[in-house]
Amino acid sequence: MRTSIWLVRHGQTVANRARRYLGHGDSPLTTYGQRQHEAVVCRLRALPFTHAIVSPTERTRALAVAITKHRPSIAIAEDPRWREIDQGQWEGLTYREVLQRFPGDAQARWTDGINGKPTGGESLADVATRVGEAWHELRSHYVGERVIVITHATPIQLVLCFCCQTPVAEHWRWRIDLGSLTALDIYGSSIIIRMVNNVPPIR
């Protein structure tokens, strides 16, 4: 029995375009981000999803609404475990601004590996724990279903690490662009990676 999981990253926001840290906070979609959402909707239109799991941010909710607009049969559930990494006091800043305002914080974060975190934020290890729990629950609760998870780059990268049994510290090796699709098929304990970081063309 196949369980089909589609992991979707939201489209471009104003903060993304400005290269600002964006975690638990929100930022409006750019015009390009809205077009990315339209492209994702077009690409997924023919797929019979049964459930949608959504990170509770406005940028992911906007995509969930667009995907399910004409498909009321899709059950939508928000799950905070699929949120992006909490950037703490770095939220909304560029990397240069972080270095200027919090140089000690930046040094501590990068020297502590997966346990490093900005003040008030999460470490990669923290995120891997909650995403790992959500991933295990998804696999056990939705056997035989076709599920779409509308989330962010880091959770998708971590799921790919789980699937390939690679260290979460290597998550950065998976490129996950804005408005991209990653698809997995699960057969019992076996996982087939159908596609990674597929970006539907904007029409």
Side-chain angles (χ1 to χ4, degrees):
M1 181 179 294
R2 181 182 72 178
T3 304
S4 182
I5 309 296
W6 289 67
L7 303 163
V8 186
R9 187 183 180 192
H10 62 84
Q12 185 191 68
T13 68
V14 172
N16 295 141
R17 185 173 60 190
R19 297 183 181 277
R20 295 186 178 277
Y21 284 100
L22 182 63
H24 285 197
D26 254 312
S27 176
L29 292 171
T30 62
T31 299
Y32 184 73
Q34 292 170 354
R35 294 179 65 195
Q36 287 181 307
H37 282 195
E38 292 169 1
V40 168
V41 170
C42 183
R43 171 66 178 82
L44 299 177
R45 184 168 293 146
L47 297 179
F49 292 106
T50 54
H51 296 81
I53 299 173
V54 186
S55 163
T57 62
E58 291 306 313
R59 57 195 184 275
T60 46
R61 290 186 185 114
L63 183 51
V65 168
I67 291 171
T68 61
K69 183 176 181 180
H70 300 294
R71 294 196 275 182
S73 63
I74 299 177
I76 301 177
E78 290 193 1
D79 188 338
R81 293 175 297 182
W82 289 100
R83 274 184 163 177
E84 183 55 280
I85 188 169
D86 186 350
Q87 299 294 349
Q89 67 180 0
W90 295 18
E91 185 76 24
L93 303 179
T94 65
Y95 183 58
R96 179 173 293 182
E97 290 170 341
V98 168
L99 292 179
Q100 292 172 343
R101 300 185 194 184
F102 311 111
D105 206 41
Q107 182 177 6
R109 182 178 187 179
W110 303 130
T111 56
D112 287 346
I114 66 171
N115 295 306
K117 67 179 72 176
T119 299
E122 290 180 295
S123 68
L124 183 64
D126 294 332
V127 182
T129 297
R130 62 172 166 83
V131 172
E133 292 173 353
W135 174 240
H136 176 75
E137 182 178 299
L138 188 158
R139 292 184 58 181
S140 61
H141 287 196
Y142 297 97
V143 175
E145 306 283 358
R146 188 187 298 270
V147 183
I148 184 168
V149 182
I150 304 165
T151 181
H152 313 271
T154 305
I156 297 173
Q157 291 169 322
L158 290 171
V159 166
L160 290 168
C161 288
F162 302 154
C163 293
C164 295
Q165 299 181 343
T166 56
V168 297
E170 302 291 311
H171 76 291
W172 58 270
R173 294 185 182 277
W174 297 102
R175 181 183 174 101
I176 303 297
D177 288 313
L178 293 158
S180 67
L181 307 172
T182 294
L184 312 168
D185 284 341
I186 303 174
Y187 297 88
S189 61
S190 299
I191 300 175
I192 296 173
I193 299 175
R194 295 181 57 185
M195 70 172 71
V196 175
N197 197 41
N198 177 265
V199 180
I202 292 177
R203 304 181 187 280

